[in-house]
Amino acid sequence: MSTSHHRRGTSRRQETTGPGGLLDTDNDTIDNNKDLSTSTSLILVLIIFISSLLALGLLYKQFPDLEKNEKQYLRLPWDLEEAKQLGLVLDRYKDRYFYEVMFGVFLVYIFLQTFAIPGSIFLSILSGFLFPFYLALLLVCCCSAIGASLCFFLSNLLGKKLVRKFFPERAAQWSVVVTKHKDNLLNYIIFLRVTPFLPNWFINMSAPVIGVPLIPFALGTFIGVAPPSFVAIQAGQTLHTLTSTRDAWSWTSMTVLSTFALVSLVPVFLKDKLSKKFD
């Protein structure tokens, strides 16, 4: 009798809700006790950020000597015109320093993804301009998966505190959806990456907060970013004619993305139907 009462009490303690309605368990409470303080987490993230900037600075120093009029264009592209100018500069050195140029794009792309800095779309377009199509697609998918995974780790340090503080309702809503699709997380992450329902930076920061495991998160990112990257890279092959990033999108590309999004959910529907049939 006392044992049963004890189990019911334990069950109630485990089903408490945390900030913003997010479900907490006893394990979460233990993990939270072991969490670093916000100030310590912030210092660690700043150290990682500064170290990354120093690494980019070292990469810049190792780059081949440029003409004086070209140095001004060797910077992060914040718009399409800057991407065009950077593409012209890198294209001049690509044949002679192919791996240096590719490694540079690789590191900068991961840097932007890791710290949720806008601008990766221009690097996707730039990759389509500089490299063969399938190499560019593989490069962008790898960079997105690696950068998102690193952002995932940073969110464990600091992001989870920020998400719970500033986006509690949105994170709680996604937490309910993730719990509902816990057996199909890979397909769900692919669907989120293909569709524009949630921004990538929010997915990266929220995933560890609501308990998405790293493996389906990283693999789903790698697969899910392929369709939109396909469109951006294809646009990069006509970079000189682009006047806006909107030019990369057409009814055809939107149809392709919608098809990929639906295909990613087909295994989920089939699994649900089979489980209901056998139940």
Side-chain angles (χ1 to χ4, degrees):
M1 185 78 176
S2 58
T3 304
S4 176
H5 177 76
H6 174 71
R7 286 177 179 172
R8 287 197 298 270
T10 303
S11 176
R12 282 195 294 270
R13 283 200 304 273
Q14 289 176 336
E15 294 177 354
T16 57
T17 54
L22 296 177
L23 192 64
D24 282 343
T25 63
D26 284 352
N27 289 334
D28 292 331
T29 305
I30 294 172
D31 289 341
N32 288 337
N33 290 334
K34 292 181 179 179
D35 277 350
L36 298 173
S37 66
T38 303
S39 57
T40 303
S41 299
L42 181 59
I43 292 172
L44 284 174
V45 171
L46 285 174
I47 291 173
I48 294 171
F49 180 74
I50 293 171
S51 300
S52 301
L53 283 179
L54 291 175
L56 290 180
L58 182 61
L59 176 67
Y60 178 83
K61 291 292 184 182
Q62 297 298 319
F63 202 79
D65 292 333
L66 303 176
E67 300 290 338
K68 288 184 179 179
N69 62 327
E70 294 177 330
K71 289 185 177 180
Q72 60 179 317
Y73 301 121
L74 195 64
R75 60 185 179 185
L76 291 176
W78 298 110
D79 56 44
L80 194 59
E81 188 57 36
E82 290 184 359
K84 286 182 180 181
Q85 297 297 337
L86 177 60
L88 291 174
V89 172
L90 295 179
D91 192 47
R92 283 192 58 191
Y93 295 87
K94 180 188 65 176
D95 292 337
R96 191 174 177 184
Y97 302 99
F98 182 83
Y99 293 105
E100 286 84 349
V101 171
M102 186 173 67
F103 189 62
V105 174
F106 180 80
L107 285 184
V108 173
Y109 204 117
I110 290 177
F111 174 80
L112 294 180
Q113 289 285 309
T114 300
F115 297 102
I117 301 173
S120 57
I121 179 63
F122 300 113
L123 290 185
S124 296
I125 294 174
L126 188 63
S127 297
F129 175 71
L130 292 172
F131 309 117
F133 181 86
Y134 291 106
L135 176 60
L137 185 62
L138 179 63
L139 178 71
V140 170
C141 290
C142 287
C143 289
S144 298
I146 294 172
S149 299
L150 292 174
C151 187
F152 184 101
F153 286 119
L154 291 183
S155 182
N156 270 328
L157 277 177
L158 180 63
K160 64 169 62 175
K161 299 176 178 64
L162 298 179
V163 169
R164 283 175 172 168
K165 182 175 182 180
F166 295 106
F167 307 100
E169 294 181 1
R170 198 169 187 181
Q173 291 170 357
W174 194 26
S175 178
V176 172
V177 176
V178 168
T179 302
K180 182 180 178 182
H181 297 284
K182 63 181 179 179
D183 295 327
N184 305 290
L185 281 179
L186 176 61
N187 298 89
Y188 187 61
I189 294 296
I190 293 173
F191 177 79
L192 287 178
R193 294 299 189 183
V194 173
T195 57
F197 296 138
L198 288 173
N200 281 332
W201 65 266
F202 181 78
I203 297 173
N204 295 345
M205 293 185 66
S206 300
V209 178
I210 59 179
V212 176
L214 178 60
I215 292 178
F217 172 79
L219 184 58
T221 298
F222 180 87
I223 299 172
V225 298
S229 297
F230 183 98
V231 176
I233 292 168
Q234 196 171 41
Q237 296 180 334
T238 57
L239 179 60
H240 295 308
T241 62
L242 292 180
T243 57
S244 168
T245 53
R246 293 179 182 176
D247 294 343
W249 301 94
S250 63
W251 285 110
T252 302
S253 61
M254 294 299 291
T255 302
V256 170
L257 291 183
S258 300
T259 303
F260 272 106
L262 292 174
V263 168
S264 69
L265 294 180
V266 167
V268 179
F269 293 135
L270 290 177
K271 188 176 180 180
D272 288 342
K273 273 196 167 185
L274 287 173
S275 61
K276 289 178 181 177
K277 183 177 181 179
F278 287 106
D279 286 346

